Amino acid sequence: MPDSPSTSRIRLGLCCIFHDQPIKFRNTTVKSISGMPRDAGLAKLSALCLANADALLLALQFCAEQGIGSFRINSQILPLKTHAECGYDIRELPDGKEAVRRFRKCGKFAAAHDIRTSFHPDQFVVLNSPRAEVVERSLAELEYQAEVAEWVGADVVNIHGGGAYGDKPAALARFAESLSRLSKRARSRLTVENDDVTYTPEDLLPLCRSTGIPLVYDVHHHRCNPDGLSVEAATEQALATWNREPLFHLSSPLEGWKGPKPGRHHDFINIVDFPDCWREQTLTVEVEAKAKEVAVLKLMKQLARPWTVYMLQCADGSLYTGVTNDLSQRIAKHNAGTGARYTRSRLPVVVVYQESQPNQSAALKRELAIKALSRAAKETLIGDRSG
């Protein structure tokens, strides 16, 4: 992918599956395949691979129609590909060549419609494990996903740092050593992500700088597992590790940041959780939300809407400050008695001040600043704007 252009662009990404759309990816179990003769098992796996290639094309077509700029491909797009007993080479499948052709067709479609694709291998992929067999399985999984990534034009295969095993420096040194065992195809696509328990951005950035592996900055994980870096500083330093368009992760806590388990993902993204410092970047943001495409489309609309901070003069002469992305509708609600509780007993209200803000987060911050002003300062603000 070419270097980022000078104009900023946020590309929102959908992760793996759909919430409402009837687009499904198929899988199978080890029990099912191992109970069949090898030829029958390969035939079933072949049919699943073909079906998943077709589903991927439908997923990409949906993204193109809706303006979704990125799609994360499910790790089991080729079911059981690296399993010790049931695994296979694509050339063993009866329709292996046709499956590759269909995946390459997906890649051509994605390129033609500027849709970025990526992979995020499962948690069992651990390059820094002290157990040699775990590393071997992890390397095999990365090579498989890099092979499919090559077919479809994906430029990211993203993994976590792994375990600390009581010694983070030694564990990260093992991670770096394992990189030399990857093919160029896999190594050139590999990225590493901070997690919500073990490795922070501050832990991983030195590894990224020394190895050339980009950091996928997960701001939700960073908020759950903070270090000495602010979100702004982590963003800046993570951006510097990329030689192509950076890719970050975003999610919101299910029960809020004061809830018992903030690491759990919400169905949707709270717009306040979208860092202001990301807005002027050219950046892919994968949306990790349970409502999937519904959440991505909602966030897309929220990011595109301008917001207004306003002040109302109530019937009793008091001033009320609020925010909205539809001022006329909001004022109508206030005067109908269905707006804020404060204005319901002070009707009618009239707008005496308004100012535009680029997004909800900025508008909410400005609302708080205006509310903190004295009555005289608010009247000065109103007078300055009306003058």
Side-chain angles (χ1 to χ4, degrees):
M1 184 171 291
D3 292 339
S4 299
S6 57
T7 55
S8 63
R9 176 183 69 164
I10 298 295
R11 183 202 300 263
L12 295 184
L14 170 61
C15 296
C16 301
I17 59 174
F18 292 81
H19 188 274
D20 288 350
Q21 294 299 308
I23 301 173
K24 306 292 184 184
F25 293 92
R26 298 175 60 190
N27 205 347
T28 188
T29 64
V30 171
K31 182 178 180 180
S32 173
I33 299 300
S34 63
M36 296 180 174
R38 181 63 173 173
D39 287 350
L42 290 174
K44 179 176 180 178
L45 290 165
S46 186
L48 293 175
C49 291
L50 291 175
N52 285 346
D54 293 342
L56 179 58
L57 184 58
L58 291 175
L60 296 172
Q61 289 170 343
F62 174 84
C63 289
E65 291 166 1
Q66 299 297 321
I68 297 173
S70 180
F71 185 74
R72 182 194 295 174
I73 299 172
N74 191 306
S75 294
Q76 294 301 317
I77 195 79
L78 303 186
L80 304 180
K81 176 66 168 64
T82 61
H83 189 268
E85 181 182 351
C86 303
Y88 50 92
D89 186 290
I90 194 72
R91 292 169 293 187
E92 291 183 78
L93 301 182
D95 296 304
K97 288 184 179 180
E98 175 61 16
V100 174
R101 188 194 69 79
R102 293 188 194 185
F103 279 113
R104 291 192 185 279
K105 181 180 178 181
C106 291
K108 291 178 181 177
F109 181 91
H113 292 82
D114 193 25
I115 300 172
R116 190 181 193 183
T117 51
S118 68
F119 285 83
H120 193 359
D122 296 324
Q123 296 289 344
F124 67 80
V125 174
V126 182
L127 287 185
N128 68 350
S129 174
R131 296 171 56 197
E133 66 274 18
V134 172
V135 175
E136 290 292 340
R137 289 197 299 268
S138 299
L139 292 168
E141 186 71 11
L142 289 174
E143 292 295 348
Y144 138 57
Q145 295 192 33
E147 181 180 22
V148 183
E150 186 175 63
W151 299 340
V152 301
D155 68 339
V156 169
V157 178
N158 179 52
I159 62 174
H160 290 283
Y165 306 104
D167 188 340
K168 279 188 180 181
L172 290 177
R174 286 196 301 273
F175 184 104
E177 290 170 5
S178 295
L179 296 180
S180 64
R181 301 177 61 188
L182 288 169
S183 67
K184 182 178 179 180
R185 176 170 62 189
R187 178 72 169 73
S188 66
R189 290 173 167 84
L190 193 70
T191 63
V192 65
E193 174 191 350
N194 60 295
D195 63 76
D196 59 348
V197 176
T198 306
Y199 289 107
T200 70
E202 204 167 37
D203 291 328
L204 295 176
L205 281 163
L207 171 74
C208 294
R209 296 184 188 114
S210 64
T211 63
I213 296 293
L215 178 66
V216 170
Y217 176 44
D218 189 312
V219 68
H220 182 93
H221 287 168
H222 192 200
R223 288 163 172 158
C224 293
N225 184 21
D227 53 20
L229 297 175
S230 65
V231 169
E232 292 76 14
T235 294
E236 181 180 0
Q237 294 185 42
L239 289 172
T241 65
W242 286 84
N243 62 356
R244 53 199 185 274
E245 181 175 306
L247 185 150
F248 289 177
H249 288 175
L250 176 70
S251 46
S252 289
L254 177 61
E255 299 169 286
W257 289 108
K258 295 182 179 180
K261 295 181 179 180
R264 294 190 294 182
H265 292 178
H266 199 285
D267 288 355
F268 295 94
I269 300 297
N270 185 334
I271 191 65
V272 176
D273 291 329
F274 196 103
D276 288 341
C277 60
W278 290 11
R279 293 175 183 270
E280 300 305 316
Q281 302 295 332
T282 294
L283 180 65
T284 298
V285 178
E286 290 189 338
V287 178
E288 297 187 324
K290 293 179 181 178
K292 298 300 180 179
E293 80 278 11
V294 182
V296 175
L297 294 173
K298 179 180 179 181
L299 179 60
M300 190 182 302
K301 291 179 181 178
Q302 289 177 308
L303 290 173
R305 280 181 198 148
W307 282 74
T308 299
V309 184
Y310 63 91
M311 274 194 281
L312 305 177
Q313 183 168 303
C314 301
D316 64 358
S318 62
L319 296 174
Y320 172 85
T321 307
V323 301
T324 183
N325 57 8
D326 190 334
L327 184 59
S328 60
Q329 182 184 72
R330 185 62 180 162
I331 301 311
K333 285 187 176 181
H334 278 296
N335 279 319
T338 58
R341 181 179 299 177
Y342 181 86
T343 61
R344 290 175 193 169
S345 60
R346 296 171 171 85
L347 300 176
V349 298
V350 294
V351 180
V352 292
Y353 176 84
Q354 60 181 287
E355 64 177 62
S356 295
Q357 291 292 334
N359 52 67
Q360 186 184 24
S361 177
L364 289 169
K365 290 177 183 177
R366 179 61 174 154
E367 177 193 26
L368 289 174
I370 292 176
K371 283 182 174 179
L373 296 176
S374 66
R375 170 73 187 221
K378 289 177 182 176
E379 289 177 345
T380 299
L381 191 63
I382 294 167
D384 288 344
R385 182 55 61 93
S386 63

